[in-house]
Amino acid sequence: MLYLTRRETFNAGHRLFKQEWTDEKNLQVYGKCSNPHGHGHNYILTVTVKGKINPETGFVVNLKTLSNIIKEYIIEKIDHMNMNTQVDFMKGKIASTENLAIAAWEVLDPHIRLLGIELHCVKIVETENNYVEYYGN
Amino acid sequence: MLYLTRRETFNAGHRLFKQEWTDEKNLQVYGKCSNPHGHGHNYILTVTVKGKINPETGFVVNLKTLSNIIKEYIIEKIDHMNMNTQVDFMKGKIASTENLAIAAWEVLDPHIRLLGIELHCVKIVETENNYVEYYGN
Amino acid sequence: MLYLTRRETFNAGHRLFKQEWTDEKNLQVYGKCSNPHGHGHNYILTVTVKGKINPETGFVVNLKTLSNIIKEYIIEKIDHMNMNTQVDFMKGKIASTENLAIAAWEVLDPHIRLLGIELHCVKIVETENNYVEYYGN
Amino acid sequence: MLYLTRRETFNAGHRLFKQEWTDEKNLQVYGKCSNPHGHGHNYILTVTVKGKINPETGFVVNLKTLSNIIKEYIIEKIDHMNMNTQVDFMKGKIASTENLAIAAWEVLDPHIRLLGIELHCVKIVETENNYVEYYGN
Amino acid sequence: MLYLTRRETFNAGHRLFKQEWTDEKNLQVYGKCSNPHGHGHNYILTVTVKGKINPETGFVVNLKTLSNIIKEYIIEKIDHMNMNTQVDFMKGKIASTENLAIAAWEVLDPHIRLLGIELHCVKIVETENNYVEYYGN
Amino acid sequence: MLYLTRRETFNAGHRLFKQEWTDEKNLQVYGKCSNPHGHGHNYILTVTVKGKINPETGFVVNLKTLSNIIKEYIIEKIDHMNMNTQVDFMKGKIASTENLAIAAWEVLDPHIRLLGIELHCVKIVETENNYVEYYGN
């Protein structure tokens, strides 16, 4: 078993808040992240897949293929977008890094299975000081 | 003469657009950055000052003092804010990295002069692939 | 299960040596790190916690809370300190990165349990070329 | 159990191709990496070992010893070399990051066992956007 | 005047040698870099341009335009290529970082002038430990 | 003219204080950095030299030669040492980054002149958030 990781980057806007809460409650829970005018981040998404080496190619999977899947299903939908209002896989969810990691897993998993390999980890780096990892359950 | 540099970070939301232009024109000039829903970045601000060593302290300036000035006049006003609507020193300006660098210079310069040293360079890193430097004229 | 990681940094002084050994023996085992005058590092501490998403907040835990715990119990006690003589949780221990990782785990673990989540990994990066990870047993 | 990681770097040349394939087939599978004139990378190799703390020294293993093993058996044989033609442990293998990670594991494992510790992970970073990890099976 | 910098990356193969020298002489002058089988690097190219802000756009120049020029005239010609034999702007030159920086300047300068701005600096990072900067004379 | 930069790293211990001041005065001026027990940093030293390309070699200067000078005259004297008491070129000086940059310049300058090139800049990075540059006057 080998673990292969691909890094992609995107920028997005978001606001952390719950619609059913008052602004005061949102501020108390989410701090500056609840700013109603929105802010954003340079996110780093790393996707780790796991599989056997294909002895024909020496690859677990062609990196180009993996990169294209990440770009088509995640990056193109979220890059320079507002996570709260414009990204289908974040609809109705609090725009936290945790929810984003799970959503990215759910989007990517079926496409990666089709390659005959397994999705192992989705990691979202929000700032140089924090990140979330999700292993699928 | 010595050059001393301090790095601070902040996150902010922005949208690149001109109000007098149509959405089409904005899209054509600013691409995805003109998205009306806004997006954002993890910005890095580095401030370089220039001065002689104070032989009493071995410092050009106390880094704590320099950091406090940057935090009080820039970071606290822009961190987790929307540059287009909430940041006084960006009011009425296109929220480009270029305009941000000049604005930060203008905000910081008088405070740094009071320390008996000179502001040398303001650098704004918007993504790992691009940054702007301004030397005051 | 999600894994959330927070990075904090500190500087500290240390010397690797055993009091019961001669300087020659210490030099032989610890090399330059046994220098009796002390040296130090810019350490990076990353703390990974593990838990379920709180559906109320979209968070595993509030990052601010986690950061405050790390700062109060580790960073404020070790930052700009000498690990051999001034840091209570390193008292009587060889000031190795290994011992520091275990000590940080033991300090943090009870506070993190109180949050209803689990401590998963403590990582100490000593230089760009080496680091230690501890998973609690 | 503690996990200790050492980072080493090297540069090498390689070409991805299978001798029994035509240039067209190689281009189709390996893209630009199949360029017959060769290209190369700044590789980062990180080696993670796992063991108990030696209470005598406070170390899992002396980092100098670990670094010397990596340098003697891997770095000196591959640094500034062409992986396809000059590196004994890559002979007859497709010069993929996957194969390199496995080969490095096989070279290092017996030497690390002799230290009374276990090899846990070999990681090869090929570019800032991709890396492979191997855990030995 | 503002300075805007764009970072692009590429991988390439090279060998440092002079055809008129013996292998021994080449080895003496260029060390391991003279290996006849070739090796390579992950290069980072940063291009800094200098100009006034266009008050219409808030830009010195559109980053997309700048990036496209760098990609079309440099990256596409050198990425995954062998600098000694396949890159027209390195033909007949020793494949040193110095010569590469000058060559990249000469290729880029006329295209950047056409944008109404000036090329200020071309920087080539060969490894994490060394880089070359060229300012045009 | 080309500018060639070499990066080297070292760890060192230091304490910021003036012997003629009380501990209170030192604490007031230098904060935690005046801790009498000492602390330390992972310093990065980058040395930039300036010169013409030697048409014989394609080099401004052989990087190995430059690296050896930095190692022999700076790194070996300061790595894992206490700057206040063990480093001859810091003797009698406040152990600030500013003084270290000037001292490193003075040590390196005569050796670099002998190579027929000029020292352009000495940069000392003390933490990820601050550094000092010295250009020789």
Side-chain angles (χ1 to χ4, degrees):
Chain A
M1 273 304 169
L2 279 145
Y3 297 78
L4 176 69
T5 299
R6 179 72 189 173
R7 187 184 86 115
E8 303 285 349
T9 62
F10 61 92
N11 316 125
H14 81 151
R15 180 199 170 192
L16 293 179
F17 77 111
K18 283 191 85 153
Q19 233 154 351
E20 53 269 48
W21 289 350
T22 61
D23 279 7
E24 290 69 32
K25 178 78 193 282
N26 275 310
L27 184 64
Q28 189 194 316
V29 173
Y30 296 115
K32 292 180 298 184
C33 298
S34 72
N35 174 9
H37 297 256
H39 66 283
H41 297 284
N42 301 340
Y43 290 92
I44 301 168
L45 164 63
T46 67
V47 175
T48 303
V49 298
K50 151 181 168 186
K52 300 217 154 104
I53 278 194
N54 177 339
E56 270 302 287
T57 60
F59 284 164
V60 166
V61 67
N62 196 311
L63 265 175
K64 197 84 197 159
T65 311
L66 179 58
S67 171
N68 286 345
I69 286 173
I70 305 171
K71 280 179 183 149
E72 180 174 352
Y73 297 105
I74 304 283
I75 306 301
E76 281 175 23
K77 304 225 161 147
I78 198 167
D79 188 36
H80 284 81
M81 294 293 168
N82 183 308
M83 244 186 265
N84 299 87
T85 59
Q86 298 185 291
V87 179
D88 58 1
F89 53 80
M90 289 302 287
K91 221 148 246 165
K93 297 172 188 163
I94 296 165
S96 67
T97 317
E98 284 91 333
N99 277 330
L100 183 53
I102 294 174
W105 176 285
E106 285 165 1
V107 168
L108 292 171
D109 188 42
H111 299 288
I112 283 167
R113 279 172 199 274
L114 288 178
L115 303 174
I117 54 172
E118 274 177 66
L119 181 54
H120 175 68
C121 182
V122 166
K123 178 178 175 181
I124 307 268
V125 183
E126 195 190 50
T127 75
E128 65 186 17
N129 295 323
N130 60 281
Y131 60 84
V132 164
E133 289 159 306
Y134 184 56
Y135 294 85
N137 50 59
Chain B
M1 274 303 169
L2 279 145
Y3 296 79
L4 177 69
T5 298
R6 179 74 190 171
R7 187 184 87 115
E8 304 285 350
T9 61
F10 62 92
N11 316 126
H14 81 150
R15 179 199 170 193
L16 293 179
F17 76 112
K18 283 191 85 154
Q19 233 154 350
E20 54 269 46
W21 288 350
T22 61
D23 279 5
E24 289 70 33
K25 179 78 193 281
N26 275 310
L27 184 64
Q28 188 194 317
V29 174
Y30 296 116
K32 292 180 296 184
C33 297
S34 73
N35 173 9
H37 297 255
H39 66 283
H41 297 283
N42 300 341
Y43 289 93
I44 301 168
L45 165 63
T46 67
V47 174
T48 302
V49 297
K50 152 179 167 186
K52 300 218 156 106
I53 279 194
N54 177 339
E56 271 301 287
T57 60
F59 284 163
V60 167
V61 67
N62 195 311
L63 265 176
K64 196 85 197 159
T65 311
L66 179 58
S67 171
N68 286 345
I69 287 173
I70 304 171
K71 281 179 181 149
E72 180 175 352
Y73 297 104
I74 304 284
I75 306 300
E76 281 175 22
K77 306 224 160 149
I78 197 168
D79 188 37
H80 284 81
M81 294 293 167
N82 183 307
M83 243 186 264
N84 298 86
T85 59
Q86 298 184 292
V87 180
D88 58 0
F89 53 80
M90 289 303 287
K91 215 142 253 176
K93 298 172 188 164
I94 297 164
S96 67
T97 316
E98 285 91 332
N99 277 330
L100 182 54
I102 295 175
W105 175 285
E106 284 165 1
V107 168
L108 292 170
D109 189 43
H111 299 287
I112 283 167
R113 279 173 198 273
L114 288 179
L115 304 174
I117 54 173
E118 272 177 67
L119 181 53
H120 175 67
C121 181
V122 166
K123 177 178 175 180
I124 308 268
V125 182
E126 196 190 49
T127 76
E128 64 185 20
N129 295 322
N130 60 282
Y131 60 83
V132 164
E133 290 159 306
Y134 183 56
Y135 295 84
N137 51 59
Chain C
M1 274 303 169
L2 278 144
Y3 297 78
L4 176 70
T5 299
R6 178 73 188 173
R7 187 184 86 114
E8 304 285 350
T9 61
F10 62 92
N11 315 125
H14 80 150
R15 180 199 169 190
L16 292 178
F17 76 112
K18 282 191 86 152
Q19 234 155 349
E20 53 269 47
W21 288 350
T22 60
D23 279 7
E24 288 70 32
K25 179 80 192 282
N26 275 310
L27 184 64
Q28 188 194 318
V29 174
Y30 295 116
K32 291 181 297 184
C33 298
S34 73
N35 173 8
H37 296 255
H39 65 285
H41 296 284
N42 300 343
Y43 289 91
I44 301 169
L45 165 63
T46 68
V47 174
T48 302
V49 297
K50 153 180 169 185
K52 301 217 155 105
I53 279 194
N54 178 340
E56 271 301 286
T57 60
F59 284 164
V60 166
V61 66
N62 196 310
L63 265 175
K64 196 85 198 158
T65 311
L66 179 58
S67 172
N68 286 345
I69 286 173
I70 305 171
K71 280 179 181 148
E72 180 176 351
Y73 297 104
I74 303 284
I75 307 300
E76 282 175 22
K77 305 223 161 149
I78 198 168
D79 188 36
H80 284 82
M81 294 293 167
N82 183 307
M83 243 187 263
N84 300 86
T85 59
Q86 299 184 291
V87 179
D88 57 1
F89 53 81
M90 289 303 287
K91 228 155 238 151
K93 296 172 189 164
I94 296 165
S96 67
T97 316
E98 284 92 332
N99 277 330
L100 182 53
I102 295 175
W105 176 285
E106 285 166 0
V107 168
L108 293 170
D109 189 41
H111 300 287
I112 283 167
R113 279 172 199 273
L114 288 179
L115 303 173
I117 54 173
E118 272 177 69
L119 182 54
H120 175 68
C121 181
V122 166
K123 178 179 175 181
I124 308 267
V125 182
E126 196 190 50
T127 75
E128 66 186 17
N129 295 323
N130 61 282
Y131 61 83
V132 164
E133 289 159 307
Y134 184 56
Y135 293 84
N137 51 59
Chain D
M1 273 304 169
L2 278 145
Y3 297 78
L4 177 70
T5 299
R6 178 73 190 173
R7 186 184 88 113
E8 304 286 348
T9 62
F10 62 92
N11 317 125
H14 79 150
R15 181 199 168 192
L16 293 178
F17 77 113
K18 282 190 85 154
Q19 234 155 349
E20 53 268 47
W21 289 349
T22 61
D23 279 7
E24 289 69 32
K25 179 78 191 283
N26 274 310
L27 183 64
Q28 189 194 316
V29 174
Y30 296 115
K32 290 180 298 186
C33 298
S34 72
N35 174 9
H37 297 256
H39 65 284
H41 297 284
N42 301 341
Y43 289 92
I44 301 170
L45 165 64
T46 68
V47 175
T48 302
V49 297
K50 156 179 165 187
K52 300 216 157 106
I53 277 193
N54 178 340
E56 272 301 288
T57 60
F59 284 163
V60 167
V61 67
N62 195 311
L63 265 174
K64 196 82 197 161
T65 310
L66 179 58
S67 172
N68 285 346
I69 286 173
I70 304 171
K71 280 180 182 149
E72 179 174 352
Y73 297 104
I74 303 286
I75 307 301
E76 281 174 22
K77 304 223 162 150
I78 198 168
D79 188 37
H80 284 82
M81 293 292 166
N82 183 308
M83 243 186 264
N84 299 86
T85 59
Q86 298 184 292
V87 179
D88 57 1
F89 54 81
M90 290 302 286
K91 215 142 252 171
K93 298 172 188 164
I94 296 165
S96 67
T97 316
E98 285 92 333
N99 277 330
L100 183 53
I102 294 175
W105 176 286
E106 285 166 359
V107 168
L108 292 171
D109 189 42
H111 299 287
I112 283 168
R113 279 172 199 273
L114 288 179
L115 303 174
I117 54 174
E118 273 178 66
L119 181 53
H120 175 67
C121 182
V122 166
K123 178 178 175 181
I124 308 269
V125 183
E126 195 190 49
T127 75
E128 66 186 18
N129 295 323
N130 61 283
Y131 60 83
V132 164
E133 289 159 306
Y134 183 56
Y135 294 84
N137 50 60
Chain E
M1 274 304 170
L2 279 145
Y3 297 79
L4 177 69
T5 299
R6 179 73 188 172
R7 186 185 87 115
E8 303 285 349
T9 61
F10 61 92
N11 316 125
H14 80 151
R15 180 200 169 191
L16 293 179
F17 76 113
K18 283 192 85 154
Q19 233 155 351
E20 54 267 48
W21 288 350
T22 61
D23 279 7
E24 289 70 32
K25 179 79 192 282
N26 275 310
L27 183 64
Q28 187 194 320
V29 174
Y30 295 116
K32 292 181 295 186
C33 298
S34 72
N35 173 8
H37 296 254
H39 65 284
H41 297 284
N42 300 341
Y43 289 91
I44 302 168
L45 164 63
T46 69
V47 175
T48 302
V49 297
K50 154 179 167 186
K52 300 216 154 107
I53 279 193
N54 177 340
E56 271 302 286
T57 60
F59 285 164
V60 167
V61 66
N62 196 310
L63 264 176
K64 197 84 198 158
T65 311
L66 179 57
S67 172
N68 286 345
I69 286 173
I70 304 172
K71 280 179 182 148
E72 179 175 352
Y73 298 104
I74 304 284
I75 306 301
E76 282 175 21
K77 305 223 161 149
I78 197 168
D79 189 36
H80 284 81
M81 294 292 168
N82 183 307
M83 241 185 266
N84 299 87
T85 58
Q86 297 184 292
V87 180
D88 57 1
F89 53 80
M90 289 302 288
K91 217 144 251 168
K93 296 172 189 165
I94 297 165
S96 67
T97 316
E98 285 91 332
N99 277 331
L100 182 54
I102 295 175
W105 175 286
E106 283 165 2
V107 168
L108 293 170
D109 188 42
H111 300 287
I112 283 167
R113 279 171 198 274
L114 287 179
L115 304 172
I117 54 174
E118 272 176 68
L119 181 54
H120 175 66
C121 181
V122 166
K123 178 179 174 180
I124 309 267
V125 182
E126 195 191 49
T127 75
E128 65 186 18
N129 295 322
N130 60 282
Y131 60 84
V132 163
E133 290 159 305
Y134 183 56
Y135 294 84
N137 52 57
Chain F
M1 273 304 168
L2 278 145
Y3 298 77
L4 176 70
T5 299
R6 179 73 189 172
R7 186 184 87 115
E8 304 286 349
T9 61
F10 61 92
N11 317 126
H14 80 151
R15 180 200 168 190
L16 292 179
F17 77 113
K18 282 191 85 154
Q19 232 154 351
E20 53 268 48
W21 288 350
T22 61
D23 278 7
E24 290 69 32
K25 179 78 191 282
N26 274 310
L27 184 64
Q28 188 194 317
V29 174
Y30 295 115
K32 291 181 296 186
C33 298
S34 72
N35 174 7
H37 296 255
H39 65 284
H41 297 284
N42 301 341
Y43 289 92
I44 301 168
L45 165 63
T46 67
V47 174
T48 302
V49 297
K50 157 179 166 185
K52 301 216 156 107
I53 279 194
N54 177 339
E56 272 300 288
T57 60
F59 285 164
V60 166
V61 66
N62 196 310
L63 265 175
K64 196 83 196 159
T65 310
L66 179 57
S67 172
N68 285 345
I69 285 173
I70 304 172
K71 281 179 181 150
E72 179 175 354
Y73 297 105
I74 303 284
I75 306 301
E76 282 176 21
K77 305 225 162 148
I78 198 168
D79 188 37
H80 285 81
M81 294 292 167
N82 183 306
M83 243 186 265
N84 299 87
T85 59
Q86 297 184 290
V87 180
D88 58 0
F89 54 80
M90 289 302 287
K91 215 142 252 171
K93 297 173 188 164
I94 296 165
S96 68
T97 316
E98 285 91 332
N99 277 330
L100 183 53
I102 295 175
W105 176 286
E106 284 165 0
V107 168
L108 292 170
D109 189 42
H111 300 287
I112 284 168
R113 279 171 199 274
L114 287 180
L115 303 174
I117 55 174
E118 272 177 67
L119 181 54
H120 176 67
C121 182
V122 166
K123 178 179 175 180
I124 308 268
V125 182
E126 196 191 48
T127 76
E128 65 185 18
N129 295 322
N130 60 281
Y131 59 83
V132 164
E133 290 159 305
Y134 184 56
Y135 295 84
N137 51 58

